[in-house]
Amino acid sequence: MAQTAPAHLLADRQVDVETPEHVAIGYELADLGSRFTALLLDGLLIVLGVLGIWMGVLALAFTVGLDGAIMGIGLGLTILAGFVLMWGYFVFYEGLRDGQTPGKRRMGIRVVHDGGFPVTVRGAAVRNLMRLIDIQPAPSFALGGLAMMLHPQTKRLGDLAAGTVVVRDRTGQPIPEESAAAAPVALGRPRLTDEEFAALEMYVSRRASLPGQVRAELSRKLMSRVERHFDEDARRWQMSPDAYLAAVHDEELARRRASGAGGRSGTAQATALVRRQRGEWDEYQKLLDEARDRGLDALGETRVSRFAALYREMAADLARARTYGGSPELLYTLERLVGFGHNLLYRPPTRSWSRFRAFAGGGFAALARRRWKPILMASILFYLPTLLTFAAVRREPELGHELLSGEMLARVEESVEKERKGEGYVEVPEVFMPAMASSLISNNVQVTFLAFAGGILAGVGTAWILVMNGVMLGSVAAAFANQGQSLHLWTFVLPHGVIELTAICIAGGAGLWLGSGMLLPGRRTRREMLVVRGREAVSLIGGTALMLVVAGTIEGFISPSELPREIKLGFAAVAALAMVAYFAFAGRAAEHVEAAEHAGDR
């Protein structure tokens, strides 16, 4: 007997969600092995992608000649591409490809939100930025693995923050009612009594786990009990009692489904449902396959309307099949089809370029103004240790030797000689400036990611990162001041630092805002508040990433350049004024319109 689909859906390995049509769909939770294998496959694809880009750069360089500028640009592009692949790969596929990366698709698993809805781009971003905490102690993934083992739905910290769950993708199962509906007359009436069939079902369900001798003995005893019904069947002499009873069981089960007789699975009503609705199910399956391959918009308005109507009918058929007592295979197949349609029809709208421009043009600034309190707290956690450490190292210069690395101390000692020669804080050959800019952008954005992700630890991780970075900045500033070279340092730092340091404080505010949802959830549960604030906080991180792209470009091309000090400091002043103006005034018009609309609603 073929194993039915739900036989492996243990209660603690399944999560049930209810669609807007009030039909419950059961999802089997993905196991740790499948998730780990999918992660390895995706990691391999990322590595191959970076290698492919680098090989392409080398091929181009050899084609046009080994020019230093081309190699510098190529190296910069490779660094940037590696960063984008590492962080954008998972967000892109999970947020825009129905919760499946190539690795997850290969392993038959996907990410969905807790309500069964498709994962959004913001949800995918929150989930994957938290990977920085899940992998700790890096790269063991011990913290995330421990969370998955302890959580009843196998959630890592990223899933908790994003409100997501990883489930096993549904695969089709043969439907017994289909064979019964195809030839109900030819099958005939059941031959066994209800008591005999119950005994046969019990034997068949246990036969695979029985030792050989026990199986042979039980099959002979059961055969002697039912053989009177099969006097004219020649197979009883050609097959062993065990094999013959298994064949008889499948035939008898099909007869009972077709006739509506008693049995463990299925009734005449379920068989009639399959017979009546099979045509519409096939039409729905065809539209579903096309929509999954090409997107729902590719169907056109008329066919989308038809698809939506068929989806609602499918949901009703699922409810009917449950009422009729349909077979597990039938219920499993209908759940799978309804689940796929649910994910397509209720997918959130894709973020367009116009929305991105609106966010960058003023939405980010407006959001930062609304969340000024956690951003202010993050600024205090960053700048107060900076000032205290600066004062401490100025008073006791030896303290700087304990706080700073040997490389940084050597740079401090060299600053006097560099200043005398007219050299800057750091000298970067022009051909390597693209590589430096890409490296700085990648590193600084990851720092803000880490500051945000630390919020999942009730804000403690975020606070630690802010304080430690503040201590480092104060130590460096004091060490240069002790040498009388403050201007030497700040000429390099300020052109990009006014943007970069502000971005770090905003990212820290996002992390504290996320963590406050766990400490002060209000009327909601901590889990709900974590998800709600995580979605808003990740928007702040998106804005800081844009800021750090600008800051990294400045740090790679302008800060280390040979421009006069006055121009660099003037540039820093202009950048600071532009940033203040942006956060003070950008997005005000949209806020006034929104306030007016709310007032009108009241």
Side-chain angles (χ1 to χ4, degrees), residues 476-548:
V476 172
F480 275 90
N482 288 337
Q483 293 287 333
Q485 296 300 320
S486 292
L487 202 57
H488 182 81
L489 171 69
W490 294 113
T491 299
F492 172 79
V493 172
L494 287 178
H496 64 272
V498 292
I499 300 175
E500 182 181 305
L501 299 179
T502 302
I504 291 175
C505 291
I506 294 175
L512 295 178
W513 182 242
L514 175 70
S516 67
M518 301 179 66
L519 297 175
L520 302 170
R523 296 182 179 180
R524 300 191 182 189
T525 65
R526 285 180 169 80
R527 181 178 63 84
E528 293 172 341
M529 188 56 72
L530 185 66
V531 173
V532 170
R533 292 194 174 175
R535 291 173 183 170
E536 188 174 55
V538 80
S539 295
L540 287 173
I541 294 301
T544 61
L546 296 176
M547 293 176 66
L548 290 171

Side-chain angles (χ1 to χ4, degrees), residues 3-6 8-9 23-27 169-178 273-274 277-278 281-282 284-285 288 292 311 314-315 317-319 321-322 326-342:
Q3 185 183 20
T4 58
H8 66 286
L9 296 182
V23 175
I25 302 175
Y27 288 97
D169 219 1
R170 297 298 184 89
T171 55
Q173 298 286 331
I175 302 176
E177 285 87 349
E178 286 190 330
L273 176 68
V274 174
Q277 296 295 101
R278 184 74 264 183
W281 295 354
D282 290 340
Y284 173 80
Q285 177 77 69
L288 176 65
R292 294 187 70 202
Y311 164 77
M314 287 291 300
D317 287 341
L318 174 57
R322 287 195 176 122
S327 68
E329 294 90 345
L330 174 62
L331 298 180
Y332 189 78
T333 300
L334 291 179
E335 282 186 356
R336 170 178 171 267
L337 294 174
V338 172
F340 280 141
H342 171 270

Side-chain angles (χ1 to χ4, degrees), residues 54-65:
W54 180 239
M55 294 298 292
V57 170
L58 289 178
L60 178 63
F62 279 109
T63 301
V64 301

